[in-house]
Amino acid sequence: MKKGFVLLLTLAALPLLFSQCSVNKQLAQAKALGDCRYTIASADSVYLAGVDIRQFRKIEDLNPARFPRLAAGLLTRNVPLDARINLDITNPTNRLAGIDQLEYKILLAGQELFSGFLNQRIEVQPGGGRVRVPVRINANAYQLFTDPKTRDAFGQLVQNLSGAQDTKPSKLTIKIKPTLALGNKQINYPGYITIDQEVTNKILLGQ
């Protein structure tokens, strides 16, 4: 009778044990992800107000008179910026780094450009393993375009994205927060993993 009762208790406790092991595994992999190195490798599929970014080679090219969609966007205060930034993650540790979901923010000149959520498995093997993660931007650039605090930095970023020569590097900040799954609940990683990088036209074009 006692053996049967002990067996019953053990079976009842198994789901909790497996759940705790799963959480500990996720925490260990998320911590290793926080110890990884991050590099903005390139950007592609970049459009400003529906116009291929490569048409804006000079700051003077950002002229609404030449691009009706840009003019319409400024009038309606909606200037769509669509892009894909490719982020390289390198794992120098001896532990597997991984996460199933993460929140991210992209900032330019200290101003938030876009925030999003990536719902896919990211796994980086230990000992120098590397993966490339595409991060999408779908943002309204009106504020960056018109605000005196960010206008110059945004124009410079557009030039770098277009591949223009003799431009100063643009400073982008990417903030990443892994999310852990615990049953039907989600637990956010404490704080953000912050990547500050000066990017040039060559880096953003993958050269």
Side-chain angles (χ1 to χ4, degrees):
M1 188 74 177
K2 290 183 178 179
K3 290 182 179 180
F5 182 67
V6 171
L7 178 60
L8 184 63
L9 286 178
T10 302
L11 290 174
L14 280 177
L16 294 175
L17 292 174
F18 284 131
S19 175
Q20 186 61 46
C21 288
S22 175
V23 171
N24 290 342
K25 182 179 178 181
Q26 289 186 67
L27 286 170
Q29 292 183 2
K31 185 178 185 305
L33 195 71
D35 294 331
C36 286
R37 294 195 297 264
Y38 296 80
T39 306
I40 298 171
S42 63
D44 53 49
S45 306
V46 188
Y47 293 88
L48 180 64
V51 181
D52 191 323
I53 203 77
R54 289 171 293 185
Q55 295 192 43
F56 302 113
R57 291 289 180 138
K58 302 186 298 293
I59 194 66
E60 293 80 11
D61 291 337
L62 283 169
N63 184 352
R66 291 186 53 197
F67 299 99
R69 289 186 180 182
L70 182 56
L74 290 171
L75 284 173
T76 59
R77 299 192 174 190
N78 182 22
V79 182
L81 174 65
D82 301 293
R84 181 174 66 184
I85 292 179
N86 299 304
L87 187 66
D88 280 353
I89 306 177
T90 305
N91 183 4
T93 76
N94 60 1
R95 295 162 288 135
L96 177 68
I99 202 72
D100 291 324
Q101 300 172 328
L102 60 82
E103 174 193 348
Y104 63 92
K105 296 181 179 182
I106 300 176
L107 296 87
L108 173 68
Q111 299 294 315
E112 185 173 314
L113 178 63
F114 181 72
S115 63
F117 193 78
L118 195 61
N119 189 15
Q120 69 178 59
R121 176 67 178 171
I122 299 171
E123 193 170 280
V124 194
Q125 296 298 319
R130 184 174 66 179
V131 298
R132 179 162 292 183
V133 179
V135 177
R136 297 295 313 185
I137 299 177
N138 303 104
N140 181 1
Y142 175 80
Q143 193 69 27
L144 293 169
F145 200 98
T146 57
D147 191 332
K149 297 178 181 178
T150 56
R151 186 169 51 210
D152 290 344
F154 182 66
Q156 185 175 294
L157 176 64
V158 168
Q159 286 184 280
N160 276 314
L161 288 170
S162 72
Q165 301 299 314
D166 302 321
T167 57
K168 295 180 180 179
S170 296
K171 184 177 180 180
L172 283 180
T173 299
I174 299 180
K175 291 179 173 287
I176 295 174
K177 178 178 284 190
T179 301
L180 310 178
L182 179 58
N184 295 325
K185 297 181 179 180
Q186 293 180 341
I187 303 174
N188 287 329
Y189 184 86
Y192 282 91
I193 301 168
T194 301
I195 306 111
D196 288 312
Q197 186 174 337
E198 286 193 339
V199 290
T200 66
N201 55 351
K202 291 183 179 180
I203 290 177
L204 288 171
L205 293 173
Q207 299 176 357

